[in-house]
Amino acid sequence: MSSPLHLVRHAVPFTSYPYRGEGMACNLCGGTQTLTVAETDRRLKRLRSVACTECGLIRTDPMPTAAELDAYYASAYRAAYQFALGRRPPRHHLHRSRREAGFRADLLGPALRPGARVLDFGSGSGEFLAAAVARGCTVTGIEPGRSYAAFARAEHGARVLDGFEGLSSEERFDVVTVHHVLEHLRDPVDTLARLALRLAPGGVLYAAVPNMAATGKPPHERFHFAHVHGFVRETLDRAARRAGLVPHPDYWREDTTVVYRSAEASDGPAPAAPGLAQDLAAALAPVRPGAYLASGAWLRPMVRRNAKAIRDTFGGR
């Protein structure tokens, strides 16, 4: 259960988050040179984000340590960002998760054949696992969040593991999915590579992350403490290529929502994106929190988020 003081420290604007962090090289290319792309997050709290000048991958700097991230997810994340104050996932989360699971299952329809083996990394409360079972698939989830994993087991009867260690060395899957999880990890590129190694011959891997290049909202609205890495189309594809994957031409794609297949010799290397860090620094120019607050521009995003939570809660099962 989250302590009120810990939640408050993650909510008060114009203050830093309660962590020390550490310096860290780019998880994609190993580079250490960076450009600052943001100094503030969507809660108007101080949070520095940088882009690697070699490849453009965005990361929090300093990066929370593994222990700090573990403590945050154990004590604050679900309550601070999903309003989950009890052991059961809140209704608005379940409604949203069911809709997302339906979309993902439809996109992956050709691969979700009866008997297909499915691995969902970061399976949450298990709605996608249930959608895959409904199509005749055999499913496995990996979810370190104990309460959500327990809910998935009890509600959907799904096999849900705490981590990679629960998989046998020979287990392979026809479909692997990782939906809005990589951005939460200190080692997203390494994790993607580990997931790619679990693909069976002819298998597909679905990956989705927030698109940091998306428009329609103030730049700082794209940052918050839970997302320690930020991707655009180019960096996600480069991360996938490092894992031996390329976009699958038979599946619909929207920027950073992609279905990948194993790369072949004829695919060649991932295209370079020179100057990407500079482009991101210009597009995500830091906003002055005081000026933003005085402008009243924060009202619309707040109303939009609250309306979405209400719609997800009362919009039907």
Side-chain angles (χ1 to χ4, degrees):
M1 183 66 68
S2 307
S3 72
L5 177 60
H6 199 62
L7 289 177
V8 167
R9 294 178 70 190
H10 277 270
V12 177
F14 308 115
T15 62
S16 298
Y17 283 96
Y19 85 105
R20 287 182 176 274
E22 62 186 356
M24 185 169 154
C26 177
N27 190 236
L28 178 52
C29 71
T32 57
Q33 299 301 308
T34 62
L35 286 176
T36 298
V37 296
E39 297 278 7
T40 308
D41 77 348
R42 74 183 192 186
R43 294 190 166 183
L44 299 181
K45 288 181 69 66
R46 294 197 294 270
L47 184 70
R48 183 170 183 259
S49 300
V50 300
C52 173
T53 56
E54 292 295 321
C55 69
L57 183 65
I58 295 171
R59 69 180 186 271
T60 299
D61 182 51
M63 174 67 66
T65 65
E68 286 169 335
L69 271 186
D70 287 345
Y72 168 70
Y73 283 110
S75 64
Y77 171 65
R78 294 292 185 190
Y81 285 97
Q82 296 181 342
F83 305 104
L85 301 175
R87 296 184 179 277
R88 181 183 173 89
R91 188 184 301 176
H92 68 85
H93 163 82
L94 293 175
H95 289 329
R96 183 175 65 247
S97 186
R98 289 188 194 105
R99 286 203 306 270
E100 181 281 316
F103 164 81
R104 200 189 330 174
D106 288 343
L107 174 62
L108 290 166
L112 296 178
R113 301 177 298 274
R117 298 158 295 174
V118 176
L119 174 66
D120 186 20
F121 183 81
S123 52
S125 47
E127 283 64 45
F128 176 71
L129 297 177
V133 167
R135 293 174 180 247
C137 302
T138 301
V139 303
T140 298
I142 294 180
E143 174 53 53
R146 293 181 180 178
S147 63
Y148 277 40
F151 177 88
R153 296 184 191 108
E155 187 78 5
H156 305 301
R159 177 198 185 202
V160 182
L161 310 173
D162 294 334
F164 279 110
E165 298 75 15
L167 295 173
S168 65
S169 59
E170 68 272 8
E171 281 188 89
R172 296 295 181 269
F173 300 89
D174 304 297
V175 179
V176 173
T177 74
V178 54
H179 180 81
H180 285 241
V181 173
L182 296 174
E183 67 272 16
H184 293 265
L185 306 179
R186 283 168 48 92
D187 57 349
V189 184
D190 301 332
T191 298
L192 191 60
R194 293 182 72 183
L195 291 171
L197 290 174
R198 291 288 177 173
L199 281 179
V204 298
L205 186 150
Y206 162 102
V209 294
N211 180 13
M212 299 302 291
T215 57
K217 62 175 65 175
H220 75 283
E221 281 275 323
R222 305 169 209 179
F223 297 91
H224 61 78
F225 187 75
H227 293 182
V228 295
H229 276 94
F231 292 85
V232 294
R233 183 185 184 108
E234 294 86 350
T235 50
L236 183 59
D237 279 353
R238 186 167 176 181
R241 193 65 183 85
R242 209 188 85 172
L245 303 168
V246 293
H248 199 305
D250 294 342
Y251 290 84
W252 172 88
R253 171 184 188 152
E254 184 178 16
D255 289 325
T256 53
T257 297
V258 199
V259 178
Y260 293 104
R261 61 167 174 80
S262 296
E264 301 172 354
S266 59
D267 290 316
L276 181 57
Q278 289 79 1
D279 292 343
L280 289 170
L284 298 170
V287 64
R288 295 179 61 184
Y292 180 69
L293 190 64
S295 72
W298 52 275
L299 282 169
R300 180 176 294 178
M302 182 186 72
V303 170
R304 183 179 66 244
R305 282 197 295 270
N306 288 339
K308 186 173 184 295
I310 292 171
R311 184 176 65 250
D312 288 339
T313 298
F314 301 108
R317 296 187 65 83

